[in-house]
Amino acid sequence: MSHQKPLSNKTAVVTGAGRGIGRAIAIGFAKAGADVAILARTQSELSQVAEAVTGQGVRCHVGPVDLADPEATEKACADVVASLGKVDILVNNAGVDLELGQVADSDPERWWRAIEINVRGTYLVTRFLLEHVNEGGKIINMSSGMGLRAAAQQSSYTVSKAGVHIFTECLANELWPRKIDVNNVIPGPVATDIFNREGRPERYTPEEVLEKFKDELPPGFPPQERIKHPDEVAELAVLIASQPVGGSTGQTFSLARRPF
């Protein structure tokens, strides 16, 4: 294995790859030598990411899909396999945070859509690709510290990430005989993710967010925390994906600067 290209000859699938953490991971994998399948809803964003991925001299499969649609998700996964073959790395990153407010005031449709995308979407992509994951493969699920403790005002997101967290542990228990490692990543606050929440018209680049809050965190953040660039999460994902067969499984890797 090349130290410069630790993922050479590997194939990776990244959901939610159109922007933010998913975009950074897809490009990070490409720089590490992997061919990459990128899945997300917005074709225009995927096209930009695909250009950055193929610019690293690797193959890229583009799959526009809404993970809340089971049939479309199954087809998107079949297309990945037809295009790139076996899967070595799967990153279930796609997620939304749609409901800010108390349960009593929530919109049932929006509340449940978060569960559909964050939990069922993660399950469906894993389910449809699992038979194609190579021995020694890595599955990385994007979790959250909010999935480890109760939180007011964001019940759908908290419930969904708790589901993802336990799903990871279930998979790890089932897949160790196939030598497939399954782990969670808790990014902590990341530039763009918490500021470009679904439904907000404003869009900030990571650099704009980091510049805005370089001296003072937004209200409500623990004083020891800091906002991270998506590339930092990508570096961790590359590290996990590069581990030898029989590495950590059923574990949570966190970039947050506080216990949960």
Side-chain angles (χ1 to χ4, degrees), residues 9-21:
N9 302 316
K10 302 290 186 181
T11 297
V13 181
V14 183
T15 71
R19 58 178 182 254
I21 291 173

Side-chain angles (χ1 to χ4, degrees), residues 5 30-32 47 52-53 57 72 83 86 95 138 164 166 177 186 188 200 204 207 212 217 259:
K5 301 286 187 179
K31 289 179 178 178
S47 296
V53 167
S83 176
K86 292 286 186 176
K138 311 293 182 185
V164 169
I166 292 298
I186 293 179
R200 288 183 178 174
Y204 301 103
E207 290 73 22
K212 183 176 182 180
L217 287 170

Side-chain angles (χ1 to χ4, degrees), residues 227-240:
I227 301 169
K228 288 160 286 293
H229 193 285
D231 289 349
E232 296 180 62
V233 187
E235 290 171 3
L236 177 59
V238 170
L239 177 65
I240 296 170

Side-chain angles (χ1 to χ4, degrees), residues 5-234:
K5 301 286 187 179
L7 300 182
S8 292
N9 302 316
K10 302 290 186 181
T11 297
V13 181
V14 183
T15 71
R19 58 178 182 254
I21 291 173
R23 178 184 187 277
I25 291 175
I27 296 172
F29 282 171
K31 289 179 178 178
D35 295 326
V36 187
I38 52 175
L39 306 181
R41 285 178 295 168
T42 307
Q43 176 68 57
S44 59
E45 293 179 341
L46 286 173
S47 296
Q48 293 176 3
V49 178
E51 185 176 351
V53 167
T54 55
Q56 300 299 319
V58 300
R59 294 184 297 162
C60 183
H61 170 82
V62 176
V65 61
D66 181 354
L67 297 185
D69 182 334
E71 291 184 2
T73 301
E74 183 172 16
K75 182 181 184 305
C77 291
D79 290 344
V80 167
V81 175
S83 176
L84 297 181
K86 292 286 186 176
V87 176
D88 298 293
I89 305 156
L90 168 59
V91 179
N92 287 304
N93 167 73
V96 294
D97 184 3
L98 301 176
E99 277 289 328
L100 293 177
Q102 296 187 9
V103 171
D105 301 319
S106 62
D107 179 328
E109 292 296 324
R110 289 172 63 83
W111 198 99
W112 190 248
R113 182 170 174 80
I115 305 298
E116 287 183 320
I117 295 174
N118 297 0
V119 182
R120 187 172 66 171
T122 295
Y123 157 75
L124 288 174
V125 173
T126 304
R127 170 64 180 82
F128 294 139
L129 290 179
L130 198 52
E131 67 178 293
H132 305 286
V133 177
N134 282 324
E135 181 177 289
K138 311 293 182 185
I139 298 176
I140 301 170
N141 294 328
M142 205 57 59
S143 185
S144 169
M146 294 184 67
L148 302 179
R149 58 177 174 80
Q153 310 296 327
Q154 286 180 275
S155 60
S156 62
Y157 184 78
T158 302
V159 168
S160 71
K161 289 303 182 179
V164 169
H165 190 88
I166 292 298
F167 181 62
T168 297
E169 296 184 1
C170 291
L171 274 177
N173 285 335
E174 292 181 7
L175 296 180
W176 69 264
R178 288 179 55 186
K179 299 181 181 178
I180 296 172
D181 298 333
V182 191
N183 293 290
N184 283 311
V185 166
I186 293 179
V190 177
T192 75
D193 284 13
I194 55 177
F195 303 95
N196 294 342
R197 183 172 281 114
E198 195 80 14
R200 288 183 178 174
E202 305 90 355
R203 279 288 183 234
Y204 301 103
T205 67
E207 290 73 22
E208 288 170 340
V209 173
L210 293 173
E211 176 64 25
K212 183 176 182 180
F213 295 106
K214 65 180 180 180
D215 298 320
E216 184 177 358
L217 287 170
F221 276 64
Q224 73 271 30
E225 193 54 88
R226 70 179 182 86
I227 301 169
K228 288 160 286 293
H229 193 285
D231 289 349
E232 296 180 62
V233 187

